[in-house]
Amino acid sequence: MQLVVTTWNVNSVRLRLDHVARFVAESKPDVLCLQETKCPDDRFPLSAFRSLGYAHIAINGQKGYHGVAVLSRLPFAETRAMGFCDKNDARHIAVTLGKEAKQAAGITIHNFYVPAGGDIPDPAVNPRFAHKLAFLDELMAWTGRERPAAEPSILVGDLNIAPYETDVWNHKALLGVVSHTPIETSRLEEWRQTAGWVDAVRHLKPEPEPVYTWWSYRSPDWAAANKGRRLDHVWLAPSLQSTLQEAHVTRDTRGWERPSDHAPVTVTLDF
């Protein structure tokens, strides 16, 4: 059995419904995890996704901001959502695949949307950056309490941090830019390593190969300039590392009309 899982910050699920439909027609993931859906739960386009073959849907949304969703061809045994930093801002949803998923049964998929953090990398003067650091601290505390990577599990999402030097187009130029500052990259790596998660993309495409998943809307010719960052991630529990067969970024979506500034990241597991 193969399990194909995609994560994508779609930057408004209703605005880019046609993009999602085009992507799933071409790539056919079994499970599609979306971030920044910007959609309250009662307005989520459930029927459209069911018509695309995703009968099982878990959502945690709000009006205008944030929001996460998991669309699946495989049934769920359980769903849940966590809140962080005393905010109900729709940044997490988790599903556990049911027994009908056969070899993949019991795998839990955590879908996160970590705060971006604003523009100034100083928590003393930028509340949004302070929120981001506090969110990372609470993720570390969650790891200590629940040890999610000790069970078969996958963590995906827009983590809004590019941890390695070749995860950004210019390491030195971006050291003072939110998403690649040392305080962020060190905390993200500490969290990943403490929990034991395996960075799926970097496991198959180790440094120094550049890998990007995001290109700014501000770039007048994003493809030629290629000033990207790897903000979107897929991490695996150690027990799933041997099943990892493929990991790739679908860069072409960034060139579609009125695109998301993020591209989908897909992994294939073989059981």
Side-chain angles (χ1 to χ4, degrees):
M1 173 185 176
Q2 283 193 334
L3 177 67
V4 180
V5 179
T6 295
T7 180
W8 190 6
N9 179 324
V10 73
N11 195 4
S12 179
V13 66
R14 289 178 291 177
L15 181 63
R16 297 189 170 85
L17 183 57
D18 289 347
H19 286 200
V20 179
R22 176 178 171 182
F23 172 79
V24 300
E26 295 174 357
S27 300
K28 299 179 173 58
D30 300 302
V31 181
L32 175 62
C33 300
L34 302 177
Q35 304 87 40
E36 207 171 354
T37 55
K38 297 182 176 179
C39 181
D41 291 351
D42 62 356
R43 301 292 300 277
F44 196 89
L46 295 171
S47 60
F49 286 117
R50 286 172 178 152
S51 70
L52 294 172
Y54 294 96
H56 311 282
I57 301 174
I59 52 178
N60 181 16
Q62 65 181 95
K63 183 179 179 180
Y65 297 94
H66 316 143
V68 287
V70 178
L71 319 174
S72 178
R73 303 184 191 280
L74 304 170
F76 305 144
E78 181 182 0
T79 68
R80 67 173 178 135
M82 296 187 291
F84 295 85
C85 302
D86 297 321
K87 296 178 183 287
N88 184 24
D89 56 354
R91 293 184 179 276
H92 171 266
I93 190 79
V95 304
T96 300
L97 299 179
K99 62 182 180 180
E100 297 89 344
K102 299 181 181 178
Q103 293 97 322
I107 292 176
T108 297
I109 302 173
H110 291 277
N111 182 11
F112 280 99
Y113 178 40
V114 171
D119 295 326
I120 303 171
D122 183 347
V125 299
N126 179 5
R128 294 174 67 188
F129 194 67
H131 177 212
K132 184 175 192 174
L133 298 182
F135 195 99
L136 293 170
D137 288 343
E138 292 198 9
L139 286 172
M140 179 70 84
W142 164 66
T143 292
R145 288 193 310 272
E146 299 192 20
R147 300 183 61 80
E151 302 296 331
S153 54
I154 305 170
L155 187 150
V156 308
D158 176 4
L159 305 185
N160 262 313
I161 299 172
Y164 305 142
E165 291 191 12
T166 55
D167 287 341
V168 295
W169 66 276
N170 188 319
H171 167 62
K172 291 183 179 179
L174 270 68
L175 280 172
V177 175
V178 173
S179 79
H180 193 61
T181 65
I183 191 172
E184 295 169 89
T185 59
S186 62
R187 287 197 189 190
L188 186 75
E189 276 297 274
E190 182 184 7
W191 170 38
R192 185 185 67 77
Q193 292 177 11
T194 298
W197 298 106
V198 177
D199 184 334
V201 170
R202 282 304 184 192
H203 182 69
L204 296 182
K205 303 178 188 295
E207 288 199 289
E209 180 177 352
V211 181
Y212 311 142
T213 66
W214 175 91
W215 295 262
S216 174
Y217 287 131
R218 298 174 185 174
S219 178
D221 190 346
W222 73 273
N226 200 27
K227 293 183 176 180
R229 307 178 202 176
R230 186 172 73 106
L231 304 181
D232 306 271
H233 300 267
V234 179
W235 296 351
L236 306 177
S239 61
L240 297 180
Q241 179 176 329
S242 64
T243 70
L244 179 62
Q245 299 299 309
E246 185 180 355
H248 68 272
V249 179
T250 308
R251 186 177 185 268
D252 290 352
T253 63
R254 182 61 178 84
W256 294 353
E257 185 177 358
R258 298 183 68 193
S260 171
D261 46 359
H262 295 255
V265 182
T266 300
V267 300
T268 300
L269 309 182
D270 196 351
F271 297 92

